[in-house]
Amino acid sequence: MTIDLQSGTRTGGVDAAAAAARRVLAGLVRAGDLSDADMSGIADRLNSVADDLEAAAPPLHDRLVHMWRGDGNTRHDPVTGPENPIAPPLEYAAADARTIEATTTLGLPYQGPPSSVHGGVSALLLDHTLGVANGWAGSSGMTAELTLRYHRLTPLFEPLTISAAQTSVDGRKIRTVGAIEARGETCVTAEGLFIAKHAPRPR
Protein backbone atom coordinates (compact mmCIF):
# COMPACT_ATOMS: atom_id res chain seq x y z
CA MET A 1 0.00 0.00 0.00
CA THR A 2 1.47 3.36 -1.02
CA ILE A 3 0.41 6.24 1.21
CA ASP A 4 0.80 10.00 1.17
CA LEU A 5 3.80 10.25 3.50
CA GLN A 6 5.08 13.14 1.41
CA SER A 7 3.65 15.41 -1.25
CA GLY A 8 3.60 13.40 -4.46
CA THR A 9 5.36 14.23 -7.69
CA ARG A 10 3.31 16.39 -10.04
CA THR A 11 3.25 16.36 -13.82
CA GLY A 12 4.93 19.38 -15.34
CA GLY A 13 5.99 22.57 -13.61
CA VAL A 14 8.83 22.67 -11.09
CA ASP A 15 8.73 18.88 -10.58
CA ALA A 16 9.46 18.30 -14.27
CA ALA A 17 12.23 20.91 -14.17
CA ALA A 18 13.77 19.24 -11.10
CA ALA A 19 13.61 15.85 -12.83
CA ALA A 20 15.41 17.33 -15.83
CA ALA A 21 18.04 18.80 -13.49
CA ARG A 22 18.58 15.32 -12.00
CA ARG A 23 19.34 14.07 -15.52
CA VAL A 24 21.80 16.93 -16.00
CA LEU A 25 23.57 16.17 -12.71
CA ALA A 26 23.83 12.47 -13.57
CA GLY A 27 24.99 13.26 -17.09
CA LEU A 28 27.71 15.63 -15.91
CA VAL A 29 29.06 13.16 -13.34
CA ARG A 30 29.05 10.36 -15.89
CA ALA A 31 30.67 12.44 -18.65
CA GLY A 32 33.42 13.96 -16.51
CA ASP A 33 36.42 15.10 -18.56
CA LEU A 34 36.33 12.01 -20.77
CA SER A 35 33.43 13.30 -22.86
CA ASP A 36 33.84 14.96 -26.26
CA ALA A 37 30.78 17.10 -25.50
CA ASP A 38 31.23 20.87 -25.72
CA MET A 39 31.41 21.44 -21.96
CA SER A 40 32.06 25.18 -22.34
CA GLY A 41 28.93 25.49 -24.43
CA ILE A 42 26.97 23.38 -21.95
CA ALA A 43 28.19 25.64 -19.12
CA ASP A 44 26.98 28.71 -21.04
CA ARG A 45 23.55 27.13 -21.56
CA LEU A 46 23.26 26.08 -17.92
CA ASN A 47 24.32 29.54 -16.73
CA SER A 48 21.64 31.03 -18.96
CA VAL A 49 19.04 28.78 -17.32
CA ALA A 50 20.35 29.76 -13.88
CA ASP A 51 20.12 33.45 -14.81
CA ASP A 52 16.47 32.99 -15.82
CA LEU A 53 15.65 31.15 -12.58
CA GLU A 54 17.39 33.73 -10.39
CA ALA A 55 15.71 36.63 -12.20
CA ALA A 56 12.25 35.10 -11.67
CA ALA A 57 12.77 33.87 -8.09
CA PRO A 58 10.71 35.40 -5.29
CA PRO A 59 12.38 37.02 -2.26
CA LEU A 60 14.09 34.36 -0.13
CA HIS A 61 11.85 34.99 2.89
CA ASP A 62 8.71 34.54 0.79
CA ARG A 63 10.03 31.26 -0.58
CA LEU A 64 10.88 30.00 2.91
CA VAL A 65 7.38 30.80 4.15
CA HIS A 66 5.90 29.04 1.12
CA MET A 67 8.08 25.96 1.66
CA TRP A 68 6.78 25.44 5.20
CA ARG A 69 3.09 26.09 4.66
CA GLY A 70 0.45 23.40 5.13
CA ASP A 71 0.62 20.16 7.07
CA GLY A 72 4.37 19.64 7.17
CA ASN A 73 4.75 17.46 4.04
CA THR A 74 7.58 19.36 2.39
CA ARG A 75 8.28 19.18 -1.32
CA HIS A 76 11.77 20.65 -1.16
CA ASP A 77 13.81 18.37 1.11
CA PRO A 78 16.87 16.53 -0.23
CA VAL A 79 15.46 13.01 0.28
CA THR A 80 11.80 12.96 -0.80
CA GLY A 81 11.33 16.42 -2.31
CA PRO A 82 10.15 16.29 -5.93
CA GLU A 83 11.13 19.96 -6.23
CA ASN A 84 14.73 19.23 -5.19
CA PRO A 85 17.04 17.91 -7.93
CA ILE A 86 19.45 16.33 -5.45
CA ALA A 87 16.66 14.16 -3.98
CA PRO A 88 16.37 10.62 -5.50
CA PRO A 89 13.41 11.24 -4.57
CA LEU A 90 12.24 8.49 -2.20
CA GLU A 91 8.57 7.48 -2.15
CA TYR A 92 7.52 5.66 1.01
CA ALA A 93 5.01 2.89 1.57
CA ALA A 94 3.60 1.82 4.92
CA ALA A 95 4.46 -1.70 6.04
CA ASP A 96 2.45 -1.39 9.27
CA ALA A 97 1.34 1.23 11.80
CA ARG A 98 4.93 2.10 12.79
CA THR A 99 7.04 1.00 9.82
CA ILE A 100 7.68 2.56 6.42
CA GLU A 101 9.94 1.65 3.52
CA ALA A 102 11.03 2.90 0.12
CA THR A 103 12.90 1.41 -2.81
CA THR A 104 15.31 3.39 -4.93
CA THR A 105 18.34 2.96 -7.17
CA LEU A 106 21.14 5.48 -6.79
CA GLY A 107 23.57 6.47 -9.53
CA LEU A 108 26.95 8.16 -9.84
CA PRO A 109 26.02 11.49 -8.19
CA TYR A 110 25.75 9.58 -4.88
CA GLN A 111 29.05 7.66 -5.16
CA GLY A 112 31.59 7.43 -2.35
CA PRO A 113 33.75 4.28 -2.59
CA PRO A 114 33.97 2.76 -6.08
CA SER A 115 30.48 1.83 -7.36
CA SER A 116 29.13 2.30 -3.82
CA VAL A 117 26.93 4.84 -2.05
CA HIS A 118 28.72 7.53 -0.03
CA GLY A 119 28.35 6.91 3.68
CA GLY A 120 27.07 10.43 4.24
CA VAL A 121 24.33 9.86 1.68
CA SER A 122 23.29 6.70 3.55
CA ALA A 123 23.15 8.75 6.76
CA LEU A 124 21.00 11.39 5.04
CA LEU A 125 18.55 8.82 3.70
CA LEU A 126 18.25 7.06 7.05
CA ASP A 127 17.94 10.22 9.15
CA HIS A 128 15.06 11.41 7.01
CA THR A 129 13.40 8.00 6.80
CA LEU A 130 13.51 7.59 10.58
CA GLY A 131 11.92 11.01 10.92
CA VAL A 132 9.13 10.17 8.48
CA ALA A 133 8.52 6.88 10.32
CA ASN A 134 8.03 8.89 13.51
CA GLY A 135 5.47 11.09 11.81
CA TRP A 136 3.69 8.03 10.45
CA ALA A 137 3.59 6.49 13.94
CA GLY A 138 2.14 9.68 15.41
CA SER A 139 5.03 11.04 17.51
CA SER A 140 7.71 13.12 15.80
CA GLY A 141 10.53 15.46 16.72
CA MET A 142 14.06 16.63 15.99
CA THR A 143 17.06 14.31 15.66
CA ALA A 144 19.14 14.30 18.87
CA GLU A 145 21.36 11.29 18.14
CA LEU A 146 21.86 9.15 15.05
CA THR A 147 24.07 6.07 15.35
CA LEU A 148 24.94 4.19 12.17
CA ARG A 149 26.69 0.90 11.59
CA TYR A 150 28.05 0.19 8.12
CA HIS A 151 27.91 -3.58 7.62
CA ARG A 152 29.00 -3.71 3.98
CA LEU A 153 29.28 -1.45 0.97
CA THR A 154 25.96 -0.16 -0.30
CA PRO A 155 25.91 -0.66 -4.08
CA LEU A 156 25.06 1.87 -6.75
CA PHE A 157 22.95 0.89 -9.76
CA GLU A 158 20.96 -1.71 -7.79
CA PRO A 159 17.60 -1.50 -6.00
CA LEU A 160 17.95 -0.47 -2.36
CA THR A 161 15.29 -0.81 0.31
CA ILE A 162 15.34 1.89 2.98
CA SER A 163 13.12 1.15 5.98
CA ALA A 164 12.44 2.54 9.44
CA ALA A 165 10.22 1.82 12.43
CA GLN A 166 9.48 3.70 15.61
CA THR A 167 10.28 1.46 18.59
CA SER A 168 9.38 3.50 21.68
CA VAL A 169 8.14 6.81 23.05
CA ASP A 170 9.13 7.82 26.58
CA GLY A 171 7.89 11.31 27.33
CA ARG A 172 9.62 13.59 24.84
CA LYS A 173 12.16 10.89 23.87
CA ILE A 174 11.38 8.95 20.71
CA ARG A 175 13.49 6.00 19.56
CA THR A 176 13.52 4.70 16.02
CA VAL A 177 15.52 2.16 14.02
CA GLY A 178 16.16 1.77 10.31
CA ALA A 179 18.20 -0.01 7.67
CA ILE A 180 19.34 0.03 4.07
CA GLU A 181 19.31 -3.34 2.32
CA ALA A 182 20.47 -4.58 -1.07
CA ARG A 183 20.13 -8.06 -2.58
CA GLY A 184 18.43 -9.15 0.67
CA GLU A 185 21.49 -8.20 2.74
CA THR A 186 21.78 -5.42 5.32
CA CYS A 187 24.21 -2.71 4.27
CA VAL A 188 23.62 -0.02 6.92
CA THR A 189 21.62 0.06 10.16
CA ALA A 190 20.64 3.11 12.18
CA GLU A 191 19.38 3.87 15.67
CA GLY A 192 17.96 7.30 16.31
CA LEU A 193 16.94 9.32 19.35
CA PHE A 194 14.50 12.11 18.61
CA ILE A 195 13.17 14.81 20.93
CA ALA A 196 9.57 15.88 20.58
CA LYS A 197 10.11 19.50 19.59
CA HIS A 198 10.04 21.36 16.30
CA ALA A 199 11.81 24.39 14.92
CA PRO A 200 9.54 27.40 14.39
CA ARG A 201 8.28 27.87 10.86
CA PRO A 202 9.17 30.98 8.91
CA ARG A 203 6.37 33.57 8.96
Side-chain angles (χ1 to χ4, degrees):
M1 172 181 63
T2 300
I3 58 173
D4 187 17
L5 292 168
Q6 66 282 316
S7 297
T9 301
R10 301 168 185 167
T11 302
V14 66
D15 292 15
R22 286 187 198 101
R23 289 189 62 201
V24 171
L25 291 173
L28 284 170
V29 177
R30 179 164 180 174
D33 58 6
L34 294 178
S35 173
D36 60 2
D38 176 14
M39 288 297 184
S40 294
I42 290 172
D44 289 342
R45 288 152 58 194
L46 291 176
N47 279 318
S48 178
V49 170
D51 289 343
D52 289 344
L53 289 170
E54 290 168 1
L60 178 58
H61 178 264
D62 292 352
R63 176 59 174 144
L64 286 169
V65 171
H66 186 262
M67 282 177 167
W68 290 103
R69 73 196 187 286
D71 60 2
N73 285 338
T74 59
R75 307 188 74 253
H76 61 269
D77 73 72
V79 176
T80 61
E83 294 182 0
N84 192 329
I86 71 170
L90 296 189
E91 294 185 3
Y92 297 112
D96 57 44
R98 293 181 179 274
T99 307
I100 62 168
E101 64 180 28
T103 301
T104 192
T105 300
L106 301 179
L108 286 176
Y110 303 98
Q111 181 172 230
S115 298
S116 302
V117 178
H118 192 292
V121 172
S122 297
L124 171 67
L125 298 181
L126 283 166
D127 178 54
H128 189 79
T129 302
L130 267 62
V132 175
N134 287 334
W136 173 238
S139 298
S140 61
M142 304 293 291
T143 309
E145 295 178 3
L146 184 66
T147 303
L148 281 85
R149 181 180 177 190
Y150 296 87
H151 301 263
R152 53 179 50 83
L153 292 174
T154 302
L156 297 175
F157 319 121
E158 296 185 25
L160 306 176
T161 299
I162 300 99
S163 61
Q166 188 178 96
T167 57
S168 69
V169 178
D170 181 9
R172 296 176 63 220
K173 294 182 178 180
I174 304 163
R175 297 190 183 275
T176 317
V177 298
I180 298 176
E181 298 181 351
R183 310 170 198 149
E185 295 184 323
T186 300
C187 301
V188 188
T189 54
E191 297 181 358
L193 170 64
F194 296 79
I195 303 300
K197 66 177 182 180
H198 297 277
R201 295 190 181 199
R203 299 183 182 279

